[in-house]
Every structure is written in structure tokens, then in C-alpha cells.
Amino acid sequence: MSRDTSPHPHDTEILDLVNSSDEVIGQIPRSSFPHRAPHGAYIRVVDCFLRNSSGELWIPRRSHTKKLAPGALDYSMGEHVTTGESYEDAALRGFTEELNLTITPSDLTLLTKIPPTPTKPFFQALYLHTTDTTPHYNEADFIEAHWLTPQALHTLITSGTPTKPSLPSTLTHYLSLAHP
């Protein structure tokens, strides 16, 4: 049996390690987090929901080749924040890489910043982008997508549909916010 010896695609992606105050304390290759991170060190991520004028969220299904949650429901866009990058810069990059969309900072609304938890070792900036345009997503990232009401997404999650691990708790945060 042969072993795949090709480099891990995330070995060159370097992430900032941050403390509990979201202050940079070092860096780490993405492929080394969390198993080689010091205790009390976190990373940063951005996630975004696309919402149309009917209040529906554009929810894709992850590619089956993804290491984490293959074939599961996902955020409209999600990225790790790389070294030296702001949350907003990572979000703008994610729109280009995952959704083939070019947007500006004024197209994004920061809804909340969610701190780490024992089961979620990252700071998460949650953004909203309002649009009636259905993205032409990167097929390496997603295999399908649908516009769903937040309630329909909640029903899918509670009925056992696989999701990216942080999506259920983030949807709860989203539903608790007064929507802009």
C-alpha cells in the first residue's frame, strides 16, 4: 500500500496564534493547529452568511474532498485569517477564492465576534453580505448550494443533517441578533 507523500496543501498557510484577548503571540502552520499549539493559544477565522432580500441564507454543501466535515452544510463563506491579515481582509479574500465574487469592505456587515470555547479554539468574526446574486462557487470547495430560510436551516440541523462543526452554534448566535 503506498502512502501519499505530497505536501499537505495547508503546510504553507501560516496563521497567527492569539491569546484570550485576541492579541498575536506567535504563528503556526495551519496543518499544525490545534495539536501543536501551546495551551491557551487560539487562531482567528471569518465566516459569512449571504442573505437575499427575502431573508434567505445561501448555504452550500462542502466538497467530499474536504478534510473537515466532507459533504456537510457550511457557511456561505469561511476562511482562516492568515498571518498579518485582518478579519475583514480574510473575508474579502474568501469571497474571491470560494465564491468568485469581488466585494468591497462596504459590502460587509460585521454581525458579531464570537470568542473561543472549550470545543471551538478560535475567535470567529461573523459577517453578513446582502445580495440577490447567487454565487458561482469554487467547485473545489462546494458541490451544491441552496437559498434557505434561517428556520429551514435550523430544521435541517436539528434533524441531523451533517454540518461544519461550528455552524449550529453560529446559527444560534445569528438568530439571536437583531438583523440589520
Side-chain angles (χ1 to χ4, degrees):
M1 178 193 280
S2 70
R3 210 170 78 114
D4 180 9
T5 58
S6 61
H8 190 280
H10 302 300
D11 280 347
T12 59
E13 192 172 11
I14 305 299
L15 309 177
D16 282 336
L17 285 173
V18 297
N19 63 19
S20 60
S21 298
D22 197 14
E23 300 164 329
V24 176
I25 58 170
Q27 285 75 37
I28 192 167
R30 178 176 169 184
S31 61
S32 296
F33 189 83
H35 58 280
R36 291 197 179 161
H39 178 74
Y42 308 100
I43 60 170
R44 297 167 168 162
V45 302
V46 295
D47 291 302
C48 183
F49 287 124
L50 271 64
R51 184 180 67 195
N52 65 19
S53 57
S54 298
E56 297 168 315
L57 304 176
W58 186 82
I59 302 297
R61 185 174 300 277
R62 295 168 64 81
S63 164
H64 291 290
T65 60
K66 293 287 191 181
K67 182 177 177 181
L68 174 69
L73 299 180
D74 202 348
Y75 301 93
S76 305
M77 184 285 304
E79 285 290 337
H80 288 85
V81 179
T82 59
T83 294
E85 196 174 37
S86 70
Y87 287 101
E88 186 176 85
D89 289 341
L92 297 174
R93 177 175 50 81
F95 271 85
T96 301
E97 292 177 2
E98 294 183 4
L99 305 180
N100 297 304
L101 292 174
T102 301
I103 64 168
T104 65
S106 64
D107 296 323
L108 288 174
T109 302
L110 177 62
L111 295 177
T112 190
K113 189 168 149 190
I114 304 168
T117 67
T119 60
K120 199 177 73 164
F122 50 84
F123 281 91
Q124 177 189 30
L126 180 62
Y127 287 92
L128 179 69
H129 175 59
T130 302
T131 183
D132 285 318
T133 301
T134 299
H136 296 287
Y137 57 83
N138 181 339
E139 293 180 2
D141 290 316
F142 307 123
I143 56 173
E144 67 177 3
H146 302 280
W147 289 101
L148 300 170
T149 65
Q151 294 74 21
L153 177 57
H154 183 266
T155 299
L156 286 171
I157 291 170
T158 57
S159 71
T161 300
T163 68
K164 192 173 191 179
S166 62
L167 184 60
S169 64
T170 304
L171 181 63
T172 299
H173 277 282
Y174 175 81
L175 292 171
S176 71
L177 299 171
H179 301 294

